Amino acid sequence: MRILVINGPNLNMLGIREPGIYGSDSYADLTTFIEKVCADRGVEADIFQSNHEGAIVDRIQAAYGAVDGIVINPAAYTHTSVAILDALKAVSIPAVEVHLSDVSKREDFRHISYAGMACERTYAGYGFDGYRLAIEYLIERHGK
Ligand code: DQA
């Protein structure tokens, strides 16, 4: 099984950006965490981060026929991007949305998620562990 993990804009700044919200661990710590979760479960992981909406759309399209599941934290594009929503719908790969913070308890503009409309589950507010929950959901779903 192969899972694509996509992280959107400013997540490369983890550890530096708003540590009171996102914690003090770095983006490298996050990728190490995801790689370990996948390796422990015998799953291959492709991890991609971009600050550019079109690059994320391109990566989702490239996943067509190549991966069994997508974990996506679209970051700020969550709340704005119909293009990412449409890309997820276009490829029809089982997808799960993750947010480090609990977006439902933050500003109103973070309460809408376009990408989430194409996702089977959302894990928000669990920090790095949300990625583990998303990966485990996709593994379980794949096995059925
Ligand atoms: C985020 C929440 C978004 O609202 C924000 O724009 C981010 C990160 C999260 O992981 O909590 O960049 O997706």
Side-chain angles (χ1 to χ4, degrees), residues 9 17 22 73 75-76 79 99-101 103 106 110:
R17 73 180 291 212
Y22 299 114
N73 181 349
H79 319 298
H99 299 287
L100 296 164
S101 64
V103 282
R106 298 181 63 193
R110 295 186 204 274

Side-chain angles (χ1 to χ4, degrees), residues 8-11 14 17 21-22 73-79 98-103 106-107 109-110 125 131:
N10 301 304
L11 289 169
L14 284 179
R17 73 180 291 212
I21 296 174
Y22 299 114
N73 181 349
Y77 290 138
T78 305
H79 319 298
V98 171
H99 299 287
L100 296 164
S101 64
D102 186 352
V103 282
R106 298 181 63 193
E107 303 96 320
F109 66 84
R110 295 186 204 274
Y131 291 82

Side-chain angles (χ1 to χ4, degrees), residues 43-57:
V43 168
E44 288 182 71
D46 288 345
I47 305 174
F48 176 78
Q49 190 275 330
S50 179
N51 295 324
H52 303 278
E53 183 177 21
I56 294 170
V57 170

Side-chain angles (χ1 to χ4, degrees), residues 68-126:
D68 305 297
I70 294 175
V71 175
I72 185 163
N73 181 349
Y77 290 138
T78 305
H79 319 298
T80 62
S81 181
V82 177
I84 292 173
L85 165 63
D86 285 350
L88 290 169
K89 288 169 102 168
V91 296
S92 253
I93 298 166
V96 179
E97 175 186 24
V98 171
H99 299 287
L100 296 164
S101 64
D102 186 352
V103 282
S104 72
K105 298 211 169 80
R106 298 181 63 193
E107 303 96 320
D108 286 352
F109 66 84
R110 295 186 204 274
H111 296 181
I112 176 111
S113 170
Y114 290 100
M117 294 173 196
C119 292
E120 296 185 6
R121 291 282 185 284
T122 295
Y123 297 102
Y126 299 104

